[in-house]
Amino acid sequence: MVVDGERSFADGVFSLDGDVIEEVESFEFLGSIIDTKGDCSQEIKRRLAMARNVVQSMTKLWKSKLPSSLKVRLLRSTAFALASYGSESWTMRLADKKRLDSFEMWCYRRILRIPWKERRTNTWVLEELGVEKKLRAYIVARKLT
């Protein structure tokens, strides 16, 4: 892979055992998208979209009479696990951090069945569920260990 436009060969052609290797802008490796710039925004958006689909498919569960604590545990073990897969290699910008935080709050609001028109602060939502924001902290902790 050529990183950020630097080439290691004079003619710009890569070959391995006589086969020419194609130069691409991005590729999927072990379930994660790798690009030449090292930007992970597309991968983060893709992961959050996959996790959002999982949360939406669990609508019956969110509407059930299960305790909120169990719903939060199920959310973290399914959607958050899917969203954070491969996060060890992510380089996160401020916009990506905000995107992760807003996804987490969106999930918690789904559990409490708060309509988007209803004005509730994030603090109120977290207190109502008795949880702390964990998704971004979890991803950062995985990167440091």
Side-chain angles (χ1 to χ4, degrees), residues 56-73:
Q56 287 176 335
S57 70
M58 298 170 74
T59 301
K60 280 187 178 182
L61 180 71
W62 306 143
K63 290 180 179 180
S64 71
K65 295 185 185 218
L66 292 172
S68 295
S69 59
L70 180 59
K71 292 177 184 179
V72 170
R73 288 177 59 195

Side-chain angles (χ1 to χ4, degrees), residues 87-89 137-145:
S87 62
E88 296 88 354
S89 64
Y138 174 70
I139 290 171
V140 170
R142 287 178 63 179
K143 290 173 68 82
L144 297 176
T145 57

Side-chain angles (χ1 to χ4, degrees), residues 31-34 38-48 80-93 96-97 100 135-136 139-140 142-143:
S32 295
I33 296 176
I34 311 291
D39 182 29
C40 296
S41 295
Q42 286 301 110
E43 174 64 13
I44 293 170
K45 287 177 186 177
R46 187 175 79 99
R47 284 274 153 206
L48 291 180
F80 287 7
L82 181 62
S84 65
Y85 179 79
S87 62
E88 296 88 354
S89 64
W90 291 351
T91 55
M92 290 196 302
R93 297 179 179 169
D96 297 328
K97 292 176 183 178
L100 286 169
L135 182 59
R136 184 167 39 132
I139 290 171
V140 170
R142 287 178 63 179
K143 290 173 68 82

Side-chain angles (χ1 to χ4, degrees), residues 59 62-64 71 108-115 118:
T59 301
W62 306 143
K63 290 180 179 180
S64 71
K71 292 177 184 179
Y108 292 150
R109 288 170 188 273
R110 293 286 293 207
I111 288 174
L112 292 174
R113 297 191 300 179
I114 299 172
E118 192 172 325

